Amino acid sequence: MARALVLLGVAAAAILGYAALTANGRGGAAGPAGVAAATSRLRAERPAPERLRVRVLASFPHDTAAYTQGLVWDAGALLESSGGYGQSFVRRWRPGSDHPLVEQRLPGHMFAEGLAVVGERVIQITWREGVALYRDRATLEEIDRRSYEGEGWGLCWDGQRLIMSDGSDTLTLRDPESFDPSGSVVVRTGTVPLANLNELECAEGWVYANLYGSDQIARIDPASGQVAALIDASDLLTPRERAGGAEVLNGIAYNADTETFFLTGKLWPRLFEVVFEPAAGPVRP
């Protein structure tokens, strides 16, 4: 009898516990509603990204043979990494000038990608070769190499660590000396992962990322991975310029002295100096 009472008590407690879980939306028929409510609250706590667009201050000729993969403003000039097997190079040039100040070409089996300036070195990554090239900042000559796993797309330096993209929704944090990974952050718009992260620029405490295949730039909080703003750059080129062979938007460089950005793309005929401002109307998705 005592054993039966104990079993009855256990069963009653289990039923009450199940009822409590169901009422809280954590099980049973009410579970999905509870999950939906929690998701709704989470989205409400994470406001939609601010919508921005570019305002062009100036435009400059850009080499239409440059398959731009990385762009950095450094000491009054641009460092540009251009990709393509048998065609990859890195160069320093000034907007408005017809000739590079210095240029170095990569071996034919390497496809150049993003780059970053760290101290007196320029670090340039490669697409599928798993090699980071360490270069002298002045001459751009290769002085060292590091290896890594996976693909390399974009790279930037925030003053403490390298931040690297691989075309997914994840940014990898790397040590500038060893190039070893030290962490990662998943980029999200609200609760939805944002993939196709391409060329990167660390500026103003944010990470700016080109979104491959689109004319959008994401402004990302590197601590949380949340997208704080989406920037529409769809009207930079004319339809005729696009039809002439220009490919996707790719290349962001920040000039801290003027607080302006330089934007260009793969095989683009022009480079633009811009600022970002609130969009007056709907921004193209």
Side-chain angles (χ1 to χ4, degrees), residues 257-268:
D257 293 333
T258 58
E259 298 183 340
T260 58
F261 290 83
F262 290 96
L263 304 180
T264 192
K266 302 173 188 285
L267 312 180
W268 276 30

Side-chain angles (χ1 to χ4, degrees), residues 219-240:
R219 177 194 281 170
I220 302 162
D221 179 349
S224 66
Q226 281 296 308
V227 176
L230 287 171
I231 303 158
D232 179 19
S234 58
D235 294 327
L236 290 176
L237 293 183
T238 67
R240 185 173 184 177

Side-chain angles (χ1 to χ4, degrees), residues 26 72 83 187 249:
R26 299 172 68 182
V72 177
V187 176
L249 175 75

